[in-house]
Amino acid sequence: MENKMTIQWYPGHMTKTRRMIAEQIRNVDAVCEILDARIPISSRNPDVDELTAGKPRLVVLNRVDQADPTLTRRWAAYFRSKGYAVLESNARQGVGTGKFAAAIRELLADKLRAYAEKGQVGRVVRVMILGIPNVGKSTFINQVAGRKTARAEDRPGVTRGKQWVPVDRQLELLDTPGILWPKFEDQSVGLHLAYTGAVKDEILDIETLGCHLMSYLGAHYPDALRTGYKLPDLPEREAEENDVAYGYRLLRSAGRKRGFLISGGEIDTERMAKILLDEFRGGKLGSFTMESPEEIKE
């Protein structure tokens, strides 16, 4: 099994999205950047700062129900220290989305006051919504707008083209397709995006991915494995053992406990890897945040 994982994924429609953002940014009053609260670094497109320079920004930490609450608080404080407004949400359950309109109007309070002084009361506020594939952007927009407007599917990269979504008479959202970037220089970024389903499973080796995730959980959240897979005694990691080798041993232990056996009594580690990813993404193993603000290279 290979230890190295290189992910390069930049479909043509993402190049078009980048161009569209550059063209449309002058037509909006603010930008709303939706991040996955579990991986706030990896789910940020580094191009966004350059593309949206000078526009007031609201950062939405989505999927907070699946993230570590302590780290979510630290991330919210970090983004506020950068001058951004912050909203925590669980869009699937509609938590936090009801505060969106008020958060935008507070963010733009000075601009709205200036409009009112010029007699432009009731002027429509336009907000561009940005986010990489599968951070819950379409679901968030649907909840904010109160109806089924953006097409939400649980597959990365399905929102096509641009569309204006009215929230009320004075607020419109510009939905944009999810945009990734040409290459992940840091392997951990690619892995984090793969764990959460932001890149398509078909382009990855599921078993290798499962080994990496098992190794990470064993090191950072061992209780999740002890409880979720009934592994009271996790095997110790050996000094020279890499992530994949250690993760493979954990995968085998969990597969044995689940009874995933194939002919000859061999453990079906591929099936176990798929189950692991499904349960991790579904929040069945607990709440995890895989990155902290201290890791950001300023």
Side-chain angles (χ1 to χ4, degrees):
M1 210 174 320
E2 289 184 30
N3 181 29
K4 193 73 179 162
M5 181 179 297
T6 303
I7 302 172
Q8 285 183 273
W9 192 55
Y10 204 57
H13 78 267
M14 291 192 176
T15 309
K16 287 182 204 154
T17 300
R18 204 180 189 287
R19 197 177 306 127
M20 184 194 95
I21 291 168
E23 288 168 359
Q24 291 292 328
I25 195 68
R26 67 178 74 91
N27 299 326
V28 300
D29 300 290
V31 170
C32 170
E33 182 183 16
I34 300 182
L35 305 180
D36 187 323
R38 298 169 295 179
I39 52 168
I41 299 172
S42 298
S43 61
R44 288 196 91 199
N45 185 326
D47 295 346
V48 164
D49 288 344
E50 176 200 336
L51 286 167
T52 64
K55 292 289 178 181
R57 187 164 336 170
L58 170 66
V59 169
V60 172
L61 292 169
N62 193 31
R63 300 206 173 107
V64 290
D65 57 310
Q66 294 183 29
D68 183 324
T70 303
L71 274 162
T72 296
R73 282 193 293 276
R74 282 168 54 196
W75 274 113
Y78 168 80
F79 286 120
R80 286 191 181 104
S81 77
K82 292 288 173 190
Y84 305 145
V86 177
L87 183 65
E88 296 175 22
S89 82
N90 165 12
R92 192 170 284 175
Q93 303 298 324
V95 176
T97 51
K99 299 175 182 175
F100 174 82
I104 287 293
R105 290 190 172 107
E106 186 180 340
L107 177 66
L108 296 174
D110 291 345
K111 188 180 267 194
L112 293 174
R113 250 192 311 275
Y115 287 154
E117 284 166 11
K118 291 177 190 168
Q120 298 175 355
V121 179
R123 176 174 168 150
V124 174
V125 170
R126 294 188 170 91
V127 180
M128 180 183 285
I129 311 288
L130 298 175
I132 68 164
N134 213 36
V135 289
K137 182 164 58 71
S138 296
T139 305
F140 184 85
I141 290 171
N142 292 338
Q143 290 282 7
V144 167
R147 54 203 164 92
K148 200 79 171 158
T149 46
R151 181 175 57 183
E153 290 183 37
D154 195 18
R155 283 187 298 117
V158 295
T159 308
R160 295 280 188 264
K162 72 170 192 241
Q163 52 181 328
W164 287 97
V165 180
V167 175
D168 55 39
R169 283 185 299 178
Q170 294 172 9
L171 180 60
E172 286 184 1
L173 310 180
L174 175 58
D175 185 18
T176 58
I179 176 175
L180 278 172
W181 51 99
K183 188 179 177 183
F184 310 127
E185 300 297 340
D186 182 346
Q187 176 175 295
S188 69
V189 171
L191 287 170
H192 292 169
L193 291 169
Y195 297 154
T196 57
V199 291
K200 296 173 184 175
D201 284 344
E202 301 94 86
I203 68 169
L204 301 166
D205 179 85
I206 292 295
E207 197 173 358
T208 304
L209 185 61
C211 289
H212 278 285
L213 180 54
M214 269 291 191
S215 179
Y216 180 87
L217 294 174
H220 298 277
Y221 291 96
D223 285 345
L225 299 184
R226 292 188 184 105
T227 306
Y229 298 115
K230 297 182 173 58
L231 298 172
D233 302 313
L234 292 184
E236 288 285 321
R237 181 165 178 162
E238 294 168 8
E240 301 299 315
E241 202 168 28
N242 64 31
D243 287 347
V244 171
Y246 180 57
Y248 187 64
R249 286 204 292 136
L250 290 174
L251 209 58
R252 284 177 57 82
S253 298
R256 189 180 293 111
K257 279 286 185 182
R258 287 280 172 101
F260 293 164
L261 303 177
I262 46 182
S263 57
E266 189 53 47
I267 297 159
D268 190 343
T269 47
E270 186 174 350
R271 182 183 175 194
M272 186 61 234
K274 285 177 182 168
I275 294 290
L276 170 68
L277 287 162
D278 283 347
E279 292 182 346
F280 175 82
R281 291 168 186 170
K284 292 176 183 171
L285 294 176
S287 301
F288 311 108
T289 298
M290 312 186 93
E291 298 165 343
S292 67
E294 291 75 25
E295 294 169 44
I296 290 186
K297 301 178 183 87
E298 298 288 2

